Every structure is written in C-alpha cells, then in structure tokens.
Amino acid sequence: MNDRIAARFAEWLAERRIELNGAQLDRFETYCRELLAWNEKMNLTAITEREQVYEKHFYDSVSLSFFVPMEHIARVADIGTGAGFPGLPLKIVFPHLELVLVDSLAKRVRFLEHVVEALGLEGVECRHARAEDAARDSFLRDGFDLVTARAVARLPLLNELCLPFAAPGGRFVAMKGPDAEDEIRESARSLRELGGELVKVHRLVLPAERAERLLVEIRKTRPTPPAYPRKAGIPAKNPLI
Ligand code: SAM
C-alpha cells in the first residue's frame, strides 16, 4: 500500500538509510490491519489509530537498529513482546534475524502465531512462558546476540528477566521512555549480579510526535550465574536494587 502514512514511514526510515521494498511495506500494512482488528476483541495495544501504529509501534521498534547494526546480529530474543514489539518490526526489516518472542500471556502469543503466519515469516518462534522459566531452557539461556524488551518493567527487574538470555559478549537493549534515568541509577546491583555492563544510553526523538525515547545498551560480560533468574515472580517481588 502506498498511501501517505506508509510513504511517510518509508521516508523516515530512508533518512536512516533503511530502504523498504514493496513486500516489506505490504507486511507492515498486514501487521497493522491484524493488530487493529484483533485489538477490538482482546487488549493488545492502547493505540487504535493506524497513523500512531506506524510511528509509535513500527518506527519506534525499528529505531533499535539505528544504534545496533543488525548486520552483525543473528539471534534476537524479545522478552515481554506483547503484540510483537519491538521484535516483529525488526524481523520485517531485517529478515535474516532468527527471532524468539517471549510472553507470559497466552492470548497475546496466539495473536503472535497468527500474525507470523499471516506475514509468512520464517525463523520466528513464539514462546508462551514467563521469562524466568524460559531462561532455564538451555536452548535459550546465554544464547542470543541481542536481547531486547520494551515497556515491560523497570530496569533492575528487567535486567534479571532479560540478561540471562544474552550470550557472553552479546547485548541487551532496554527500550525506555524519557524518564529512565532513575532506573538506570538503580540498576548497579542487578548489572553486577547478572554480569552486565552499561555501554551507553542512546536518545531518540520520534519524528512526528517528537516524544523522547531512551535506549539503554548493556553488554553481557560473562555467563549467567546459576542462581539467576530466580523463580517466577520473585524478581518482581524482590528486585535486585
Ligand atoms: N513489548 C510490548 C510493547 O512494547 O508493546 C508489550 C509491552 S506490555 C506493557 C508488557 C508485556 O510483558 C505483556 O505482554 C506481559 O504479558 C509481558 N510480561 C510481563 N512480565 C513478564 C514475564 N515475567 N515474562 C514474560 N512476559 C512478561
């Protein structure tokens, strides 16, 4: 579809040297349509306008690639992915990625499975699990070049939910709003315990809405200690602060 909303989205990405082809734009449009249709039956997103889906979900998700060059990444885990953000837009733009989407809510995972099939995407696994449990799976633990999460939890908790999936030498990038400075300050202990090192906080401004985003880039320095993550629910109840 080549209407104003899709064309503007393509232009925004072209400004970042990301050129989308027609098949990729078709996939974004199908994703948007399915998201808004399913959202009428179940709670997937607070966003109900197509224009906003393109900016606040699609562009925002792809913005991760402005800071982490995806050519060097093979395996990506998106923890607490909800309706697929940021994992699925990244997969649409960078089809070589091998993607695992993790969410604890079964109905959202059903939507993910549906949309992955509707988009004809290969190399995407939709995993219905708590992050704390999935991280005990040896296929997933310490296994990803890039782990990401958007709007899931504050950083001290998020580090325990996400860092166990990153391979030593790999990265975890937390996608945050503008008020994440306090969380970052509070995350020293969780970083130390989980073997993470703060690399950089990247700033982004959404092109139309002008809202600010912070992307917190963390490097995994060593394998996950056997005690982590703790049993499901404990990290949220008693975060490593
Ligand atoms: N990342 C998506 C986005 O940015 O639109 C969804 C954000 S939504 C606010 C948070 C999601 O995290 C929910 O879908 C919830 O089910 C999931 N979640 C929360 N805690 C989790 C856990 N411990 N393990 C797996 N998923 C979790």
Side-chain angles (χ1 to χ4, degrees):
M1 179 185 282
N2 197 13
D3 69 345
R4 184 186 63 84
I5 292 171
R8 192 178 66 156
F9 172 61
E11 273 165 32
W12 288 337
L13 291 184
E15 284 165 17
R16 300 284 183 158
R17 295 206 176 85
I18 296 171
E19 303 288 343
L20 297 182
N21 61 32
Q24 287 170 313
L25 283 168
D26 285 348
R27 280 181 162 155
F28 276 113
E29 187 51 33
T30 303
Y31 189 6
C32 182
R33 194 183 61 228
E34 294 301 312
L35 176 71
L36 294 179
W38 279 57
N39 204 39
E40 291 183 3
K41 299 175 280 177
M42 63 171 68
N43 176 19
L44 289 171
T45 171
I47 293 174
T48 54
E49 300 290 324
R50 188 171 159 261
E51 188 160 9
Q52 302 243 317
V53 169
Y54 270 82
E55 182 176 19
K56 290 193 188 172
H57 283 325
F58 294 168
Y59 181 89
D60 189 51
S61 294
V62 175
S63 75
L64 174 46
S65 71
F66 305 163
F67 308 105
V68 177
M70 290 292 147
E71 309 84 71
H72 306 302
I73 304 284
R75 255 187 124 199
V76 177
D78 180 7
I79 308 301
T81 186
F85 305 115
L88 282 180
L90 286 168
K91 172 72 183 174
I92 293 172
V93 177
F94 303 98
H96 72 277
L97 297 176
E98 194 191 319
L99 178 65
V100 177
L101 303 169
V102 178
D103 203 280
S104 55
L105 214 60
K107 61 180 187 169
R108 297 207 172 121
V109 176
R110 272 201 302 281
F111 169 73
L112 294 171
E113 285 164 348
H114 164 76
V115 92
V116 164
E117 192 180 326
L119 300 181
L121 296 175
E122 282 175 12
V124 181
E125 185 193 344
C126 308
R127 179 79 69 111
H128 173 221
R130 300 278 295 247
E132 299 93 317
D133 299 324
R136 294 281 165 191
D137 178 338
S138 59
F139 178 70
L140 303 179
R141 190 179 179 89
D142 289 335
F144 291 84
D145 306 310
L146 174 66
V147 183
T148 184
R150 189 185 79 157
V152 176
R154 287 174 67 82
L155 201 55
L157 166 56
L158 205 54
N159 280 333
E160 186 167 355
L161 298 182
C162 294
L163 272 169
F165 294 93
R171 292 184 176 98
F172 164 45
V173 179
M175 304 189 78
K176 294 280 174 186
D179 309 321
E181 300 288 357
D182 286 348
E183 302 174 35
I184 296 168
R185 267 192 296 279
E186 284 173 12
S187 67
R189 179 173 169 216
S190 56
L191 287 175
R192 202 168 54 238
E193 299 269 344
L194 273 306
E197 179 181 84
L198 183 64
V199 176
K200 192 166 179 180
V201 180
H202 304 276
R203 276 168 205 280
L204 173 88
V205 176
L206 290 181
E209 210 211 347
R210 311 304 301 167
E212 197 186 2
R213 299 281 188 263
L214 299 183
L215 288 84
V216 184
E217 181 182 353
I218 291 165
R219 199 177 80 87
K220 174 91 164 262
T221 56
R222 58 188 163 89
T224 306
Y228 293 112
R230 291 167 292 166
K231 280 201 169 33
I234 306 283
K237 213 179 293 171
N238 185 17
L240 297 168
I241 298 177

